[in-house]
Structures are given as structure tokens and as C-alpha cells.
Amino acid sequence: MTIEYSTLHDPVDWAALKAALAADAFDNGRSPAQMERSFRNSYRAVYAVDHENADGPWVGTGRVLSDGVCNAYIVDMWTQARYRRRGVGREILRRLCEPLTGQHVYLFTDDNEAFYKACGFNVRGAGLEQVMGSWLEQTA
């Protein structure tokens, strides 16, 4: 297994990435175009690729939103199920956090608290959320 990591958006086949996420029960309903816009508008995105994977090359993603000064938020952390517990997620996270020195980095997880604790994150307070309008509805 040879995993390549990249921060480049142009090589991404967004429809194939969306299909990989959906096949792994990690699809949140964005279209390929919406997914591309989300990733391109991020402070940094990391893609994990295994060209020998029979299910397609995309085996992991993550992105970070940041003000570039003091606050950052990690989102869309995904590792394909059969690639978990092999260091892929940890490496994506390391590469996402690399440019964030001095920033408070936050993330939310429903089911992977132990993994993020093992990566040095601490539980802090309650996360709250609210969808403005309808999910994925866009006025602009």
C-alpha cells in the first residue's frame, strides 16, 4: 500500500471522490460541484490517494478553515473504512495542522473521540450548531 498525499485541487475527480464518500457512508449531500467549492475555499485541504485501490484512488480527505491568525476548524476528515488504523487519518491531520502554528484548532466528531485524543486533541466544552435556512440551500 503506497499512499500519496496532496494539497492540490486540480487533479481531483470530484464525481469520483463523491462516489467514494457515498460508498463509505460519508456523503453529506453536497453535489460534486459543491464539494469542489468547499475544498477550494478552504485554508488547506489534504487528499490521500492509493492508485492501486480497486475501489478508486481516493482513500482519505480533510480540510481546515482558518482565519490565518488564531482560529481554525477541521472538517471533512475521512479515511476509507479499509484504510483506517494504518496512519492515513493521522497523516492527513498532521498535514492539515502543519501551517496552523499558534492557532486554536477545533474539530467536531460524533464517533471518533479516541482517535483525536490520541492525536493530541482535548475535549473542550459543548459544540453547538444551527443550519441557516435549509441544508445546502444557497442564495448566492
Side-chain angles (χ1 to χ4, degrees), residues 45-135:
V46 175
Y47 308 95
V49 178
D50 180 357
H51 294 289
E52 297 174 7
N53 182 14
D55 296 327
W58 309 106
V59 299
T61 64
R63 63 190 185 97
V64 64
L65 311 175
S66 174
D67 60 15
V69 178
C70 60
N71 289 295
Y73 183 58
I74 300 214
V75 292
D76 289 333
M77 276 293 296
W78 165 71
T79 303
Q80 191 179 78
R82 65 191 190 112
Y83 284 80
R84 292 183 189 142
R85 305 195 67 77
R86 297 181 183 191
V88 175
R90 185 179 293 268
E91 182 62 16
I92 290 171
L93 194 58
R94 185 191 73 74
R95 289 172 184 245
L96 287 174
C97 292
E98 204 170 47
L100 304 175
T101 302
Q103 295 188 45
H104 170 257
V105 180
Y106 186 78
L107 58 83
F108 177 83
T109 183
D110 288 320
D111 57 4
N112 240 341
E113 191 174 308
F115 167 73
Y116 292 108
K117 282 182 176 179
C119 292
F121 284 80
N122 300 302
V123 174
R124 180 176 172 172
L128 304 173
E129 70 176 353
Q130 179 181 9
V131 174
M132 302 297 141
S134 299
W135 176 245

